[in-house]
Amino acid sequence: MNEINNSILTLILLLPLAGALLVLLVPDRAKLPNWIALFTTLATFGLTLHLPAHFDKTQTGFHFVVNLQWIEKPAIFYHLGVDGLSLWLVVLVGLLAPIGVVASWNIIRERRKVFFALFLVQQTAMLGVFLSLDLILYYGFWELSLVPMAILIAMYGRKDGPRAALKFFLFTFIPSAPLLVAILWLYAKTGSFDFATLQLWIASGALPAGALWWVALTFLFAFSVKVPVFPLHGWLADTFSEAPVALAMVVAGKLGLYSMLRFHIGLFPAQARIVAPVLVGLAVVGILYGACLALVQRDFWRLMAFAALSHLSLITLGIYGLSLTGWEGAVYQILNHGVVDGALFLLLGLLYDRYRTSEINTYGGLAAKLPRTATFFVFASLAMIGLPMLGGFVGEFMILLGTFTGVSKGWAIVATLGVILGAAYMLWLVQRLFFGPESKLATSKPPDDLHVGQLAILWPLAALMLVMGLAPMLWLSTIQTGVHPPPRPRQAVTTQYPVFLQGGCAAAMYEAPQLVATPELAAKCESMEEGQR
Amino acid sequence: MLTAFYMFRLWYLAFMGTSRSPEVHPHESPWSMRGPLLILAALSICGGWIWLYGFSEFLAPVLGARATEASSWRLLIPYTQYSLSLETVLSIVAVLVALEGWLIADKFYRRKPARPAQWATAMPTGYKLLANKYFVDEFYGATVVKPLLGFSKVFLEWVVDVGILGGAAWLLGGIATFAGALLQRWQSGNLRSYAAWLAAGAAAVLLFLLVPWTTVLAYLAAIHLGVAGH
Amino acid sequence: MNPVPDIYRILPEIILTLTGVLVMLLDASLPLRWARRPLGWVAAFGTTFALWASLWQISLPMGTGFSGTVETSAFTVFFHVLICGLVLVALLLSLDTLPEDSHHQGEFYALIVFGAVGMCLLTGAVELLLVFIALEISSIATYVLVGYRKNTARGPEAAIKYFLLGSFATAFLLYGIALIFGATGTTEIYEIARLAPTAPNHSLILAGLGLMLVGILFKVSAAPFHVWTPDVYEGAPSPVVALISTAPKAAAFALLLRVVYEMLPTLRQVWSPLLWVVAVLSMTVGNLAALRQTNVKRMLAYSSIAHAGYLLAAFAGLGNDGVMAACFYIAAYAAMNVGVFAVVTLASGYDEKLPQIDNFRGLIYRSPLLGSLLIFFLASLVGIPFTGGFFGKLTTFSTAISGGAIWLVIIGLLNSGLAAAYYLRLALAAAQRPSGENVAAFAPRVGIAVGAALLLAVAATLVLGIVPGDVLRAAEAGAHTLQAPPAESGEPGNAVELPTQP
């Protein structure tokens, strides 16, 4: 058992890569690449499920840790681990992979080997982002995730793939250049790329504060583009309209939001505290802006893009509200958004593949022809707009509650308005696609509703949305271990240091209690403080 | 009471009495609709009883993960403090009133179907107002929906998204490309100009290395100060 | 006193010379109707043998031979192996892509091998006159190779430009050597390093250094001495570009390292700002000018200028770290650049009927292997992690930042973001669905020799990207033999921020 726990993360990381190699080696016949990709992703998903099954909720800090030296000089480590924050995100990536394969099953008809090989490489890259605890390793996976995405958008774009791919790549790649400078600067000052070590260094206050402020800002900037946060969302709409559905469902959100929590707030709590109000403002603007633009889109991919902007901004709000409830809600909402978006993209992808258009107004009256598609779409839409009893409600409510109590009532109320607009555009989309008079489009093709394979994916997804709405504690109990403070040090710190802006260990412990703290770090911080006294 | 009235009116008109649309053949709804309907029916029955099972405790983990926040959640919705007896009495009254609404609807739309039309002609303004739902939809349409859509389309999408944000990205790309175009002109293909550039570069390097810049700068500064002094 | 026979110190060079002579004689003596292709294999085997000999040299104790003119050390072995590897790849690439009816194939192979002699000798030379001779050996061979397509208009034009400008630049180098000799009375690098700090005529040394730098920077095509690069790369046959954009540059960088780190380390405060400016100029000029290029080879020429700039950033690093990073970057750059030119050779053909980016459209649909490889090498040039290009940039910029050149690093990395735009344009064109007329375009076939060349390049790029430890250690060992002064402040946590800009 112990051996499995020690190597499970490496296995999870390498399995998709092995699958990619296998896909390259087999001939492109009888959908062989599809089957290999499906089995690989299912196996990876199975492996990721090992993590929550053997996750020790009583322990804070990182689990299943692997820490090996990769390169001596510069000192880079192959350092992996999960905690409550990343645990379910890893599982989510695992879950979305087979969905992506099924969504591409009939849609990808040429060069299947290239597609599935790159798709699997993309899996490895995303898993790597969530698992890495060494900054260079993390940066490596972060950048690596761009390449398969850009290539596949260019290869399978609907109208002008290369342009969208270039836009996507440059938007995300150029801000990561300062990110690398910042990481290298930290290394030059501390001699380490290790997450926990850097946390300690930054918390100790030994690094020059002015430079540190810029370093934190470059981290934030790179992540904000990736999420995206308003007004850095220029790449989103084109990417959504061009990317193959399997990739569109994973392109936005998760990586950036997780990085904000772990590597911005987690590493630079004091600096994050200062910029938080700006981010809260941008997030609220983004919620409304995305919702308003989603209302007036004529193309459903673009509508989904602005809807995503709105939802992701809500999560950003939860993160930079800097409340524990907000953080938990944010992580929960990332999970929920991933599941719901997966279902919606799968269905929209099927519609697009059948009718060859994403123009909303040409659709209409499809419900009678495709009742199953319509049902699942309505169900997923309801989950997306946050109907109580479905997953979306829990996350949104927690975020809004955290904002209401923790940040400001005004922002919370404005954000709620955005959520209401969200219901408007989603239901309007449903109405225009599936109801109303039967369009020419609906009668142009024989009805061909969901097949067994797609149902096999959609039923569990729908069930998952329901369970996520009914029994959130199944997830929240683990997420809490990643977000909540370890009881003792935080007590001590809050009573002694109500002012966190002065930097130092107190700030780290108070502001980002468990995003930060391993027990060792807590102990070290305490001893450092005692030394100061 | 009114709720009960209109719901039963709907029911009577839609499902009872004589069909008013002979050309369409009604059919049983497909699963896509039946499924959600059943769920909703079940939920609406359960929904009435759910408080009895401690719904607030059930949702507590969602609403407030922290003990401190659980208290704030009670402040928001204080109903849980009400006594059970008051609740029961209110429920019974509500049921009775609803039954009355049902009776009225039953009278108008099942037993005396001509009556509503007579009333409508008797009070044209009132009926029109009611038939058009007090013109609330139109009111919203004119004051909220249309302006919102227009604002989103014209200002947010065209001006902000395409104009300002798209324009900024375009401008950055344009500057880089323009600089590239300028640099391309450097590449004349003319050998003599290349040699001249080489010589110029060499001259620059030598100037850079041989002129004692620190001394020169200090000297220049001194001159400048001297001028300023006079 | 020297227990190692002098001949061992230049064993790889001797093997290469013999191979070259053999190829040339065979070419002259074989009947005209016979195919000349086997001569390429002879040259390739000779080069492999030389590579092996260079590896063997690591077992020799570090030292000099031939009256202190040639050195063998970890540093020279590093570059010998690198250069022999590059020459091998270029030979394999030419084997399959030179047209069968070309009359002068034998000459072609012989010239490549002779050029390799010069480049190898350049990295081992510790005496300035030998440096000059080695540089000339390598240059003259490459001048001829550039003009190899005599029946086109561009070939000879490129050769003449390269020859005239190259001679001009070498004259600067020679003049610089003369001035340094005048100031110190010696041409031996170690002696100069000893005498220079106390030499009476300081500005003579400065002028000498400046002129030498002009000559060397021309060879590595750093701005503002880069103007020849696009024209020459466009006119020369692609296999030759694969060679001249990598191997002579590696040799010239080795020379640059010797000159600044070993010969005149005491003038650091002089050459460091100069190289700072040249680095920034090179990367900015190279990248901006490449943005609008539609011809693939010209675009890659500008890209190589930009890479020279990134590489020069390593010179902001202190002591051994700078040398190590530079060595590693040269290896990474060479591996990916030779790879990308190999793919371009195959995709646009020897006579280059398809030189534009648009012609590459749909390459991955026409030939999945070549398309994927092209994208892979371009990704490495962009600096995507887990390829050689990433670790090259990482070590280089990491060193520069420890050396305090934070602005250089910021400019450099923003430049690499900018560079992604044009690399991606080519990569995405290759990934795009082919349009009507492009479907009919030929699908290149990959022969054994070219396959081996590509395999070598891919393997090197991946090894440098995933398990770079060994190469980094080799580069570090090489750096230590350069006898650079110890790092002034290597302690983590308290590195000082030196303002490097003048």
Side-chain angles (χ1 to χ4, degrees), chain A residues 188, chain C residues 253 256-257 260-261 265 267-280 283 308-327 329 395-410 412 485-489 495-502:
Chain C
F253 267 114
L256 185 60
L257 286 170
V260 299
Y261 276 98
L267 292 181
R268 187 189 167 79
Q269 72 280 18
V270 178
W271 54 254
S272 175
L274 180 72
L275 293 181
W276 193 101
V277 173
V278 173
V280 168
M283 44 186 133
Y310 303 141
L311 220 166
L312 285 171
F315 288 77
L318 300 166
N320 291 330
D321 284 356
V323 184
M324 174 184 124
C327 291
Y329 196 98
T395 46
T396 305
F397 289 132
S398 174
T399 313
I401 232 170
S402 315
I406 182 105
W407 280 105
L408 178 62
V409 175
I410 291 175
E488 283 136 51
S489 79
V496 239
E497 289 196 54
L498 296 170
T500 0
Q501 180 145 38

Coordinates of all heavy atoms in Angstrom, one line a residue, chain A residues 188, chain C residues 253 256-257 260-261 265 267-280 283 308-327 329 395-410 412 485-489 495-502:
Chain A
A188 N 17.5 33.4 -7.3 CA 18.8 34.1 -7.1 C 18.9 34.6 -5.7 O 20.0 34.6 -5.1 CB 18.9 35.3 -8.1
Chain C
F253 N 31.6 31.1 -30.4 CA 31.3 31.4 -29.0 C 32.3 30.9 -28.0 O 32.7 31.5 -27.0 CB 29.9 30.8 -28.6 CG 28.8 31.9 -28.8 CD1 27.9 31.7 -29.8 CD2 28.8 33.0 -28.0 CE1 26.9 32.6 -30.0 CE2 27.8 33.9 -28.2 CZ 26.8 33.8 -29.2
L256 N 34.9 33.3 -28.0 CA 34.5 34.5 -27.2 C 34.7 34.2 -25.7 O 35.1 35.1 -25.0 CB 33.1 34.9 -27.6 CG 32.5 36.1 -27.0 CD1 33.3 37.3 -27.4 CD2 31.0 36.3 -27.4
L257 N 34.2 33.0 -25.3 CA 34.4 32.7 -23.9 C 35.8 32.8 -23.5 O 36.2 33.3 -22.4 CB 33.8 31.3 -23.7 CG 32.3 31.2 -23.7 CD1 31.9 29.7 -23.7 CD2 31.7 31.9 -22.5
V260 N 37.1 36.5 -23.4 CA 36.6 37.4 -22.3 C 36.8 36.8 -20.9 O 37.2 37.5 -20.0 CB 35.2 37.9 -22.5 CG1 35.0 38.7 -23.7 CG2 34.2 36.7 -22.4
Y261 N 36.6 35.5 -20.8 CA 36.7 34.9 -19.5 C 38.1 34.4 -19.1 O 38.5 34.4 -18.0 CB 35.7 33.7 -19.3 CG 34.3 34.1 -19.0 CD1 33.4 34.2 -20.0 CD2 34.0 34.4 -17.7 CE1 32.1 34.6 -19.6 CE2 32.7 34.8 -17.3 CZ 31.8 34.9 -18.3 OH 30.5 35.3 -18.0
P265 N 39.8 38.5 -18.2 CA 38.7 38.5 -17.2 C 38.8 39.8 -16.3 O 37.8 40.2 -15.8 CB 39.0 37.3 -16.3 CG 40.4 37.0 -16.5 CD 40.7 37.4 -17.9
L267 N 39.1 42.7 -17.3 CA 38.4 43.8 -18.0 C 36.9 43.6 -17.9 O 36.2 44.2 -18.8 CB 38.9 44.0 -19.4 CG 40.3 44.5 -19.5 CD1 40.7 44.6 -21.0 CD2 40.5 45.8 -18.8
R268 N 36.4 42.8 -17.0 CA 35.0 42.5 -16.9 C 34.1 43.8 -17.0 O 33.1 43.8 -17.7 CB 34.7 41.7 -15.7 CG 33.3 41.2 -15.7 CD 32.9 40.6 -14.4 NE 31.4 40.4 -14.5 CZ 30.8 39.5 -15.1 NH1 31.5 38.5 -15.7 NH2 29.5 39.4 -15.2
Q269 N 34.5 44.8 -16.2 CA 33.7 45.9 -16.2 C 33.6 46.7 -17.5 O 32.8 47.5 -17.7 CB 34.1 46.9 -15.0 CG 35.4 47.6 -15.2 CD 36.6 46.8 -14.9 OE1 36.5 45.5 -14.9 NE2 37.7 47.4 -14.7
V270 N 34.5 46.3 -18.4 CA 34.5 46.9 -19.8 C 33.7 46.1 -20.7 O 32.8 46.6 -21.4 CB 35.9 47.1 -20.3 CG1 35.9 47.7 -21.7 CG2 36.7 47.9 -19.4
W271 N 34.0 44.8 -20.8 CA 33.3 44.0 -21.8 C 31.9 43.6 -21.4 O 31.0 43.4 -22.2 CB 34.1 42.8 -22.3 CG 34.6 41.8 -21.3 CD1 35.9 41.7 -20.9 CD2 33.9 40.8 -20.6 NE1 36.0 40.7 -19.9 CE2 34.8 40.1 -19.7 CE3 32.5 40.4 -20.5 CZ2 34.4 39.1 -18.9 CZ3 32.1 39.4 -19.7 CH2 33.1 38.7 -18.9
S272 N 31.6 43.6 -20.1 CA 30.3 43.1 -19.7 C 29.2 44.1 -20.1 O 28.2 43.7 -20.7 CB 30.3 42.9 -18.2 OG 29.0 42.6 -17.7
P273 N 29.4 45.4 -19.9 CA 28.4 46.3 -20.4 C 28.2 46.3 -21.9 O 27.1 46.4 -22.5 CB 28.8 47.7 -19.9 CG 29.9 47.5 -19.0 CD 30.4 46.1 -19.1
L274 N 29.4 46.1 -22.6 CA 29.4 46.1 -24.1 C 28.5 44.9 -24.5 O 27.6 45.0 -25.4 CB 30.8 46.0 -24.6 CG 30.9 45.9 -26.1 CD1 30.5 47.3 -26.7 CD2 32.2 45.4 -26.6
L275 N 28.8 43.7 -23.9 CA 28.0 42.6 -24.3 C 26.6 42.7 -23.9 O 25.7 42.1 -24.6 CB 28.7 41.3 -23.8 CG 30.0 41.0 -24.3 CD1 30.6 39.7 -23.7 CD2 30.0 40.8 -25.9
W276 N 26.3 43.4 -22.8 CA 24.9 43.7 -22.4 C 24.2 44.4 -23.5 O 23.1 44.0 -24.0 CB 25.0 44.6 -21.2 CG 23.7 44.7 -20.4 CD1 23.4 44.1 -19.3 CD2 22.6 45.6 -20.7 NE1 22.1 44.5 -18.9 CE2 21.6 45.4 -19.7 CE3 22.3 46.5 -21.7 CZ2 20.4 46.1 -19.7 CZ3 21.1 47.2 -21.7 CH2 20.2 47.0 -20.7
V277 N 24.8 45.4 -24.0 CA 24.2 46.2 -25.1 C 24.0 45.3 -26.3 O 22.9 45.3 -27.0 CB 25.0 47.5 -25.4 CG1 24.4 48.2 -26.6 CG2 25.0 48.4 -24.2
V278 N 25.0 44.6 -26.7 CA 25.0 43.8 -27.9 C 23.9 42.7 -27.8 O 23.1 42.4 -28.7 CB 26.3 43.1 -28.2 CG1 26.2 42.1 -29.3 CG2 27.3 44.2 -28.6
A279 N 23.8 42.1 -26.6 CA 22.7 41.1 -26.3 C 21.4 41.7 -26.5 O 20.5 41.1 -27.3 CB 22.9 40.5 -24.9
V280 N 21.1 42.8 -25.9 CA 19.8 43.4 -26.0 C 19.5 43.8 -27.5 O 18.4 43.5 -28.0 CB 19.7 44.7 -25.1 CG1 18.4 45.5 -25.4 CG2 19.7 44.3 -23.7
M283 N 18.8 40.5 -29.6 CA 17.5 39.8 -29.5 C 16.4 40.7 -30.0 O 15.5 40.2 -30.6 CB 17.3 39.3 -28.1 CG 17.6 40.2 -26.9 SD 17.4 39.2 -25.4 CE 18.8 39.5 -24.5
A308 N 21.5 34.4 -30.7 CA 22.9 34.9 -30.3 C 22.7 35.9 -29.1 O 23.6 35.9 -28.2 CB 23.6 35.5 -31.5
G309 N 21.7 36.7 -29.2 CA 21.4 37.7 -28.1 C 21.2 37.0 -26.8 O 21.7 37.3 -25.8
Y310 N 20.3 36.0 -26.8 CA 20.0 35.3 -25.5 C 21.3 34.7 -25.0 O 21.5 34.7 -23.8 CB 19.0 34.1 -25.7 CG 17.7 34.5 -26.3 CD1 17.1 33.6 -27.3 CD2 17.0 35.6 -26.0 CE1 15.8 34.0 -27.8 CE2 15.8 36.0 -26.5 CZ 15.2 35.1 -27.5 OH 14.0 35.5 -28.0
L311 N 22.1 34.1 -25.9 CA 23.3 33.5 -25.4 C 24.3 34.5 -24.8 O 24.9 34.2 -23.8 CB 24.0 32.9 -26.7 CG 24.6 31.5 -26.4 CD1 24.9 30.9 -27.8 CD2 25.8 31.6 -25.6
L312 N 24.3 35.7 -25.4 CA 25.2 36.7 -24.8 C 24.8 37.1 -23.4 O 25.5 37.7 -22.7 CB 25.3 37.9 -25.8 CG 26.1 37.7 -27.0 CD1 25.9 38.8 -28.0 CD2 27.6 37.5 -26.7
A313 N 23.5 36.9 -23.1 CA 23.0 37.2 -21.8 C 23.7 36.4 -20.8 O 23.9 36.9 -19.6 CB 21.5 37.0 -21.7
A314 N 24.2 35.2 -21.1 CA 24.9 34.4 -20.2 C 26.2 35.1 -19.7 O 26.7 34.8 -18.6 CB 25.3 33.1 -20.8
F315 N 26.7 36.0 -20.6 CA 28.0 36.6 -20.2 C 27.8 37.6 -19.1 O 28.8 38.2 -18.6 CB 28.6 37.3 -21.5 CG 29.1 36.3 -22.4 CD1 28.3 35.6 -23.3 CD2 30.5 36.1 -22.5 CE1 28.8 34.7 -24.2 CE2 31.0 35.1 -23.4 CZ 30.1 34.4 -24.2
A316 N 26.6 37.9 -18.7 CA 26.4 38.8 -17.6 C 26.6 37.9 -16.3 O 26.7 38.5 -15.2 CB 25.0 39.4 -17.6
G317 N 26.6 36.6 -16.5 CA 26.8 35.8 -15.3 C 28.2 35.9 -14.8 O 29.2 36.2 -15.5
L318 N 28.3 35.6 -13.5 CA 29.6 35.7 -12.9 C 30.4 34.4 -13.0 O 29.8 33.3 -12.8 CB 29.5 36.1 -11.4 CG 28.7 37.4 -11.2 CD1 28.3 37.5 -9.7 CD2 29.6 38.5 -11.6
G319 N 31.7 34.5 -13.3 CA 32.6 33.4 -13.2 C 32.1 32.2 -13.9 O 31.6 32.2 -15.0
N320 N 32.3 31.0 -13.3 CA 32.0 29.7 -13.9 C 30.6 29.6 -14.4 O 30.3 29.0 -15.4 CB 32.3 28.6 -13.0 CG 33.8 28.5 -12.8 OD1 34.6 28.9 -13.6 ND2 34.2 28.1 -11.6
D321 N 29.7 30.2 -13.6 CA 28.3 30.1 -13.9 C 28.0 30.6 -15.3 O 27.2 30.0 -16.1 CB 27.4 30.8 -12.9 CG 27.3 30.1 -11.6 OD1 27.8 28.9 -11.6 OD2 26.7 30.6 -10.7
G322 N 28.5 31.7 -15.6 CA 28.3 32.3 -17.0 C 28.8 31.4 -18.1 O 28.1 31.1 -19.0
V323 N 30.0 30.8 -17.9 CA 30.6 30.0 -18.9 C 29.7 28.7 -19.1 O 29.4 28.3 -20.2 CB 32.0 29.6 -18.5 CG1 32.6 28.7 -19.6 CG2 32.8 30.8 -18.3
M324 N 29.3 28.2 -17.9 CA 28.5 27.0 -17.9 C 27.2 27.2 -18.7 O 26.8 26.4 -19.6 CB 28.2 26.5 -16.5 CG 27.3 25.4 -16.4 SD 26.9 25.0 -14.7 CE 25.2 25.1 -14.7
A325 N 26.5 28.3 -18.3 CA 25.2 28.6 -19.0 C 25.4 28.8 -20.5 O 24.7 28.3 -21.3 CB 24.6 29.8 -18.3
A326 N 26.5 29.5 -20.9 CA 26.7 29.7 -22.3 C 27.0 28.4 -23.0 O 26.4 28.2 -24.1 CB 27.9 30.7 -22.5
C327 N 27.8 27.6 -22.4 CA 28.1 26.3 -23.1 C 26.8 25.5 -23.2 O 26.5 24.9 -24.3 CB 29.1 25.5 -22.2 SG 30.7 26.1 -22.2
Y329 N 23.8 26.6 -23.3 CA 22.8 27.2 -24.3 C 23.3 26.9 -25.7 O 22.5 26.7 -26.6 CB 22.7 28.7 -24.1 CG 21.5 29.3 -24.8 CD1 20.4 29.5 -24.1 CD2 21.5 29.5 -26.1 CE1 19.2 30.0 -24.7 CE2 20.4 30.1 -26.8 CZ 19.3 30.3 -26.0 OH 18.2 30.8 -26.7
T395 N 18.9 28.3 -17.7 CA 20.2 28.5 -17.1 C 20.8 29.8 -17.5 O 21.4 30.5 -16.6 CB 21.2 27.4 -17.6 OG1 21.1 27.3 -19.0 CG2 20.9 26.0 -17.0
T396 N 20.7 30.2 -18.7 CA 21.3 31.5 -19.1 C 20.7 32.7 -18.3 O 21.5 33.4 -17.7 CB 20.9 31.8 -20.6 OG1 21.4 30.6 -21.3 CG2 21.6 33.0 -21.1
F397 N 19.4 32.7 -18.2 CA 18.8 33.9 -17.6 C 19.0 33.8 -16.1 O 19.1 34.8 -15.4 CB 17.3 34.0 -18.0 CG 17.2 34.5 -19.4 CD1 16.3 33.9 -20.3 CD2 17.9 35.6 -19.8 CE1 16.2 34.3 -21.6 CE2 17.8 36.0 -21.1 CZ 16.9 35.4 -22.0
S398 N 18.9 32.5 -15.6 CA 19.2 32.4 -14.1 C 20.6 32.9 -13.8 O 20.7 33.6 -12.8 CB 19.0 30.9 -13.8 OG 19.4 30.7 -12.5
T399 N 21.5 32.6 -14.6 CA 22.9 33.1 -14.3 C 23.0 34.6 -14.4 O 23.6 35.2 -13.6 CB 23.8 32.5 -15.4 OG1 23.6 31.1 -15.5 CG2 25.3 32.7 -15.0
A400 N 22.3 35.1 -15.5 CA 22.4 36.5 -15.7 C 21.7 37.2 -14.5 O 22.2 38.3 -14.0 CB 21.6 36.9 -16.9
I401 N 20.7 36.7 -13.9 CA 20.0 37.3 -12.8 C 20.8 37.2 -11.6 O 20.9 38.2 -10.8 CB 18.6 36.7 -12.6 CG1 17.5 37.7 -12.6 CG2 18.5 35.9 -11.4 CD1 16.1 37.2 -12.6
S402 N 21.6 36.1 -11.4 CA 22.5 36.1 -10.3 C 23.6 37.1 -10.4 O 24.1 37.6 -9.5 CB 23.1 34.7 -10.1 OG 22.1 33.7 -10.3
G403 N 23.9 37.3 -11.7 CA 25.0 38.4 -12.0 C 24.4 39.8 -11.8 O 25.1 40.7 -12.0
G404 N 23.1 39.9 -11.5 CA 22.6 41.2 -11.3 C 22.0 41.9 -12.5 O 21.5 43.0 -12.4
A405 N 21.9 41.2 -13.6 CA 21.4 41.8 -14.8 C 20.0 41.6 -15.0 O 19.5 41.0 -15.9 CB 22.2 41.3 -16.0
I406 N 19.2 42.2 -14.0 CA 17.8 41.9 -14.0 C 17.1 42.4 -15.2 O 16.2 41.8 -15.8 CB 17.1 42.4 -12.7 CG1 15.6 42.0 -12.7 CG2 17.3 43.8 -12.5 CD1 15.3 40.9 -11.8
W407 N 17.5 43.6 -15.7 CA 16.8 44.2 -16.8 C 17.1 43.4 -18.1 O 16.2 43.3 -18.9 CB 17.1 45.7 -16.9 CG 16.4 46.5 -16.0 CD1 16.8 47.0 -14.8 CD2 14.9 46.7 -16.1 NE1 15.7 47.6 -14.2 CE2 14.6 47.5 -15.0 CE3 14.0 46.4 -17.0 CZ2 13.3 47.9 -14.7 CZ3 12.7 46.9 -16.8 CH2 12.3 47.6 -15.7
L408 N 18.3 42.9 -18.2 CA 18.6 42.1 -19.3 C 17.7 40.9 -19.4 O 17.2 40.6 -20.5 CB 20.1 41.7 -19.2 CG 20.6 40.8 -20.4 CD1 20.5 41.5 -21.7 CD2 22.0 40.4 -20.1
V409 N 17.4 40.3 -18.2 CA 16.6 39.2 -18.2 C 15.2 39.5 -18.6 O 14.5 38.8 -19.3 CB 16.7 38.5 -16.8 CG1 15.7 37.3 -16.8 CG2 18.1 38.0 -16.6
I410 N 14.7 40.6 -18.1 CA 13.3 41.0 -18.4 C 13.2 41.3 -19.9 O 12.3 40.8 -20.5 CB 12.9 42.3 -17.6 CG1 12.8 41.9 -16.1 CG2 11.6 42.8 -18.1 CD1 12.6 43.1 -15.2
G412 N 15.1 40.1 -22.2 CA 15.2 38.8 -22.9 C 14.0 38.0 -22.9 O 13.6 37.4 -23.9
P485 N 37.8 33.6 -13.0 CA 37.9 33.9 -11.6 C 36.7 33.4 -10.8 O 35.6 33.3 -11.4 CB 37.9 35.5 -11.6 CG 37.2 35.8 -12.9 CD 37.6 34.7 -13.8
P486 N 36.9 33.1 -9.6 CA 35.7 32.6 -8.8 C 34.6 33.6 -8.8 O 34.9 34.8 -8.8 CB 36.3 32.3 -7.4 CG 37.5 33.1 -7.4 CD 38.1 33.3 -8.8
A487 N 33.4 33.1 -8.6 CA 32.3 33.9 -8.6 C 32.4 34.9 -7.4 O 32.8 34.5 -6.3 CB 31.0 33.1 -8.4
E488 N 32.1 36.1 -7.7 CA 32.3 37.1 -6.6 C 31.4 37.0 -5.5 O 31.7 37.3 -4.4 CB 32.3 38.6 -7.3 CG 33.5 38.9 -8.0 CD 33.2 39.6 -9.3 OE1 32.4 40.5 -9.3 OE2 33.7 39.1 -10.4
S489 N 30.1 36.6 -5.8 CA 29.2 36.3 -4.8 C 28.2 35.3 -5.2 O 27.4 35.6 -6.0 CB 28.5 37.6 -4.3 OG 27.4 37.9 -5.2
A495 N 22.9 37.7 -2.8 CA 23.5 38.2 -4.1 C 23.2 39.7 -4.2 O 22.1 40.1 -4.0 CB 23.0 37.4 -5.3
V496 N 24.3 40.4 -4.6 CA 24.1 41.8 -4.7 C 23.6 42.2 -6.1 O 23.8 41.5 -7.1 CB 25.4 42.6 -4.6 CG1 25.3 43.5 -3.4 CG2 26.6 41.6 -4.4
E497 N 22.8 43.2 -6.2 CA 22.3 43.6 -7.5 C 23.3 44.6 -8.1 O 23.4 45.8 -7.6 CB 20.9 44.3 -7.4 CG 19.9 43.3 -7.1 CD 18.5 43.9 -7.3 OE1 18.3 44.4 -8.5 OE2 17.7 43.9 -6.4
L498 N 24.1 44.2 -9.1 CA 25.0 45.0 -9.7 C 24.4 45.8 -10.9 O 23.7 45.1 -11.7 CB 26.2 44.2 -10.3 CG 27.0 43.5 -9.3 CD1 28.0 42.5 -10.0 CD2 27.8 44.4 -8.4
P499 N 24.5 47.1 -10.9 CA 24.0 47.7 -12.1 C 24.9 47.5 -13.3 O 26.1 47.8 -13.2 CB 24.0 49.2 -11.7 CG 25.0 49.3 -10.6 CD 25.1 48.0 -9.9
T500 N 24.4 46.7 -14.3 CA 25.3 46.4 -15.3 C 25.3 47.4 -16.5 O 26.2 47.4 -17.3 CB 24.9 45.0 -15.9 OG1 23.8 44.6 -15.2 CG2 26.1 44.0 -15.8
Q501 N 24.2 48.1 -16.5 CA 24.2 49.0 -17.6 C 25.2 50.2 -17.3 O 25.3 50.6 -16.2 CB 22.8 49.7 -17.7 CG 22.7 50.7 -18.9 CD 21.3 50.6 -19.5 OE1 20.4 50.5 -18.8 NE2 21.3 50.8 -20.8
P502 N 25.9 50.6 -18.4 CA 26.9 51.6 -18.2 C 26.2 52.9 -17.7 O 25.1 53.2 -18.2 CB 27.5 51.8 -19.5 CG 26.5 51.3 -20.5 CD 25.8 50.2 -19.8

